[in-house]
């Protein structure tokens, strides 16, 4: 049920699968939930601006049923994206969403 999505205007991500695997492991650790439930998504080459500039930037969404600690996770994921993609931390926004179990579907049912 934990999910992390990264959208970036960088078009040439060198090792997309490597980044997705790092994000998956980090999210599992950060939430304390099994990695077998973690989903990752990378959408590169997205037309986007930050502060009126087309310099590299990213928007990250983190969703989970509970187990979110935005203050701790924000720096962790900004650092991971910075080291993987070279995007400065001050050009990354992260949205955290603590989803109600009845609003999260999987395997033909919901968790709540």
């Amino acid at each position: 049920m934990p999910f992390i999505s990264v959208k970036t205007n960088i078009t040439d991500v060198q090792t997309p699968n490597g980044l997705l695997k790092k994000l998956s492991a980090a999210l599992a650790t950060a939430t304390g939930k099994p990695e077998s439930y973690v989903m990752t998504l990378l959408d590169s080459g997205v037309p986007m601006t930050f502060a009126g500039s087309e310099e590299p930037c990213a928007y990250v969404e983190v969703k989970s049923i509970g187990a979110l600690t935005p203050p701790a996770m924000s720096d962790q994921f900004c650092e991971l994206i910075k080291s993987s993609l070279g995007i400065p931390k001050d050009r990354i926004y992260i949205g955290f969403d603590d989803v109600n179990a009845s609003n999260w579907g999987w395997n033909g049912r919901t968790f709540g």
Side-chain angles (χ1 to χ4, degrees), residues 1-3 20-21 23-29 31-40 104-107 109 111:
M1 66 218 101
F3 171 69
L20 291 172
K21 288 178 182 181
L23 290 167
S24 182
L27 186 56
T29 299
T31 59
K33 296 190 179 190
E35 192 172 3
S36 59
Y37 283 105
V38 175
M39 178 181 274
T40 61
W104 197 273
W106 172 73
N107 198 20
R109 59 183 178 80
F111 285 98

Side-chain angles (χ1 to χ4, degrees), residues 7-26:
K7 293 178 171 63
T8 181
N9 58 353
I10 293 177
T11 55
D12 187 23
V13 176
Q14 296 299 313
T15 55
N17 289 336
L19 174 57
L20 291 172
K21 288 178 182 181
K22 288 179 189 176
L23 290 167
S24 182

Side-chain angles (χ1 to χ4, degrees), residues 4-5 7-8 11 13 22-23 28 36 39 46 48 60 66-67 78-79 82 93 99 101-102 105 108 112:
I4 186 165
S5 170
K7 293 178 171 63
T8 181
T11 55
V13 176
K22 288 179 189 176
L23 290 167
S36 59
M39 178 181 274
V46 177
M48 45 192 312
V60 181
C78 280
E79 187 59 42
K82 178 185 171 199
Y93 270 162
V99 182
S102 63

Side-chain angles (χ1 to χ4, degrees), residues 56-98:
C57 61
Y59 174 66
V60 181
E61 291 181 302
V62 179
K63 298 181 181 222
S64 181
I65 299 169
L68 292 179
T69 54
M73 291 176 165
S74 183
D75 188 57
Q76 178 183 5
F77 290 117
C78 280
E79 187 59 42
L80 195 155
I81 291 165
K82 178 185 171 199
S83 66
S84 298
L85 299 177
I87 298 172
K89 290 181 180 183
D90 66 353
R91 294 194 54 81
I92 301 170
Y93 270 162
I94 302 179
F96 294 94
D97 189 12
D98 190 346

